[in-house]
């Protein structure tokens, strides 16, 4: 089992902490100073947001989600975590992953009861979700590529998704903390894992700023990630990655809309009740199916 819920690799670039009033106020809330962000925070007018990300692969269909929630005060985060831990204990499970809950008989005839209680807990937090999912062959054709590794595919989908976040109106001066699902075993070389993580974050951020030169946004330069026992972050990201990817694969395979709604009613209803804004969850067909479920 994972030892910790949340991890962070610190980028020690030897820049001095910013001692401005804004920087000190930011540190009180987030634990980070203005200089701890790629594009230092210089304007207090933006939103402070946490973005959770996870990946999914289903029958050659790859997807990446972004779940956007407000930056949570630690005591409230711990309260919600404790409620989810008690729920998991009540139902005899250790992790809340919907690949297991919907993909197996893990909860058997208690699944609907669990889903209802889960939704009540996580709906204490406002949230929205974005998702991009594509068949690998179609994606490679769009990119005019012969082959890409799974890591390269997920990297492309993640930053394409993040561009949609930046394109949203009124994002000027927003501050983002990105938390990825823990991808690598931390029993190995932390230095090599940190190097990979920094490259993934920084190369994508550089491309992002090139695409949106007129948008001033600040992204935390210390990569954050969460383990599967961080029940709030992990479950929300898994839900927004797994269900849309599975449904999008059905759509792309030509499964009729009404059959999808009938066969995946619980999953679709959970998406609709969990994410107050699901307009960015995949294709227009998928969003329509969610709305009609």
């Amino acid at each position: 089992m994972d030892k910790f819920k949340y991890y962070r690799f610190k980028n020690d670039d030897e820049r001095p902490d910013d001692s401005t009033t804004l920087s000190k106020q930011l540190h009180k809330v987030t634990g980070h100073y203005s200089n701890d962000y790629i594009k230092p925070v210089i304007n207090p007018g933006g939103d402070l947001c946490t973005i959770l990300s996870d990946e999914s692969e289903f029958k050659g269909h790859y997807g990446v989600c972004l779940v956007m929630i407000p930056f949570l005060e630690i005591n409230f985060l711990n309260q919600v975590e404790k409620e989810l831990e008690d729920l998991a204990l009540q139902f005899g499970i250790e992790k809340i992953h919907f690949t297991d809950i919907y993909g197996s008989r893990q909860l058997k005839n208690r699944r609907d009861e669990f889903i209802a209680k889960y939704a009540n807990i996580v709906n204490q937090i406002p949230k929205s979700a974005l998702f991009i999912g594509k068949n690998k062959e179609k994606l490679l054709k769009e990119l005019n590529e012969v082959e890409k590794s799974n890591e390269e595919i997920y990297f492309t989908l993640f930053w394409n998704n993040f561009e949609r976040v930046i394109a949203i109106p009124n994002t000027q001066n927003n501050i983002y903390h990105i938390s990825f699902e823990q991808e690598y075993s931390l029993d190995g070389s932390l230095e090599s894992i940190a190097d990979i993580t920094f490259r993934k974050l920084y190369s994508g951020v550089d491309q992002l700023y090139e695409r949106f030169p007129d948008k001033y946004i600040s992204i935390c330069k210390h990569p954050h990630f969460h383990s599967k026992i961080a029940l709030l972050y992990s479950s929300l990201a898994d839900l927004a990655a797994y269900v849309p990817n599975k449904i999008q694969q059905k759509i792309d395979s030509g499964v009729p809309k009404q059959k999808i709604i009938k066969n995946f009613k619980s999953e679709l209803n959970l998406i609709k009740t969990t994410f107050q804004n699901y307009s960015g969850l995949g294709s227009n067909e998928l969003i329509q199916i969610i709305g009609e479920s």
Side-chain angles (χ1 to χ4, degrees):
M1 176 183 281
D2 303 299
K3 295 179 181 179
F4 302 102
K5 294 180 180 181
Y6 307 101
Y7 302 84
R8 182 187 73 183
F9 286 130
K10 183 172 176 57
N11 176 14
D12 189 8
D13 57 6
E14 298 182 353
R15 294 185 65 180
D17 295 335
D18 187 347
S19 60
T20 64
T21 300
L22 173 61
S23 182
K24 291 177 180 178
Q25 291 173 341
L26 183 65
H27 184 266
K28 286 182 180 180
V29 176
T30 69
H32 299 298
Y33 292 98
S34 295
N35 284 342
D36 285 317
Y37 296 84
I38 308 170
K39 285 197 176 180
V41 178
I42 59 174
N43 191 311
D47 293 333
L48 179 58
C49 180
T50 297
I51 294 182
L52 319 175
S53 183
D54 199 3
E55 304 162 348
S56 174
E57 188 276 326
F58 181 74
K59 295 184 177 181
H61 211 270
Y62 291 77
V64 171
C65 77
L66 302 178
V67 176
M68 303 176 64
I69 62 175
F71 187 88
L72 300 178
E73 192 272 330
I74 189 64
N75 289 335
F76 180 65
L77 174 60
N78 288 338
Q79 171 199 317
V80 177
E81 283 282 346
K82 180 62 168 57
E83 292 178 27
L84 290 174
E85 288 171 358
D86 290 344
L87 179 68
L89 183 64
Q90 178 186 345
F91 283 82
I93 59 177
E94 293 182 347
K95 301 166 186 175
I96 303 176
H97 265 211
F98 295 93
T99 47
D100 298 325
I101 291 170
Y102 284 117
S104 70
R105 294 276 296 164
Q106 184 183 61
L107 295 176
K108 299 181 180 178
N109 60 347
R110 301 187 70 195
R111 189 187 68 187
D112 290 346
E113 178 188 359
F114 173 87
I115 292 299
K117 291 183 176 180
Y118 170 81
N120 283 337
I121 294 172
V122 299
N123 281 347
Q124 299 175 74
I125 302 165
K127 50 204 161 322
S128 60
L130 297 94
F131 171 84
I132 291 180
K134 294 185 179 181
N135 175 274
K136 181 177 181 179
E137 292 183 2
K138 181 179 179 181
L139 177 62
L140 290 175
K141 187 175 181 179
E142 290 177 0
L143 297 172
N144 198 25
E145 299 272 2
V146 176
E147 186 55 69
K148 272 184 176 291
S149 68
N150 287 357
E151 184 175 6
E152 290 171 325
I153 289 173
Y154 289 133
F155 175 89
T156 299
L157 293 175
F158 174 86
W159 288 107
N160 285 350
N161 226 353
F162 207 97
E163 287 183 8
R164 298 168 69 204
V165 174
I166 307 308
I168 296 172
N170 302 320
T171 55
Q172 197 77 302
N173 298 310
N174 279 6
I175 303 167
Y176 297 102
H177 295 82
I178 305 171
S179 184
F180 301 95
E181 178 85 13
Q182 181 184 331
E183 185 177 359
Y184 307 102
S185 170
L186 299 183
D187 295 332
S189 169
L190 286 179
E191 184 176 352
S192 63
I193 295 171
D195 286 342
I196 294 171
T197 307
F198 279 119
R199 285 200 301 270
K200 288 175 65 175
L201 176 65
Y202 280 66
S203 60
V205 169
D206 289 342
Q207 294 177 35
L208 189 74
Y209 287 143
E210 289 176 6
R211 290 288 304 275
F212 295 90
D214 297 330
K215 281 289 183 80
Y216 196 101
I217 62 163
S218 301
I219 299 174
C220 186
K221 68 182 181 182
H222 310 299
H224 291 68
F225 50 109
H226 52 271
S227 71
K228 289 179 172 59
I229 60 169
L231 296 185
L232 177 64
Y233 283 16
S234 179
S235 65
L236 288 177
D238 181 73
L239 176 63
Y242 167 71
V243 172
N245 195 41
K246 189 172 184 178
I247 302 300
Q248 190 65 57
Q249 191 274 335
K250 300 298 181 186
I251 294 171
D252 293 346
S253 299
V255 178
K257 179 173 69 174
Q258 291 307 317
K259 185 175 181 179
I260 292 175
I261 292 175
K262 178 181 178 181
N263 291 345
F264 299 98
K265 190 171 185 62
S266 178
E267 292 97 319
L268 292 166
N269 282 337
L270 182 58
I271 287 284
K272 185 161 59 174
T273 58
T274 300
F275 300 108
Q276 289 81 1
N277 184 345
Y278 56 83
S279 62
L281 275 178
S283 66
N284 291 333
E285 294 86 354
L286 175 54
I287 295 165
Q288 184 180 40
I289 285 174
I290 294 172
E292 294 181 13
S293 64

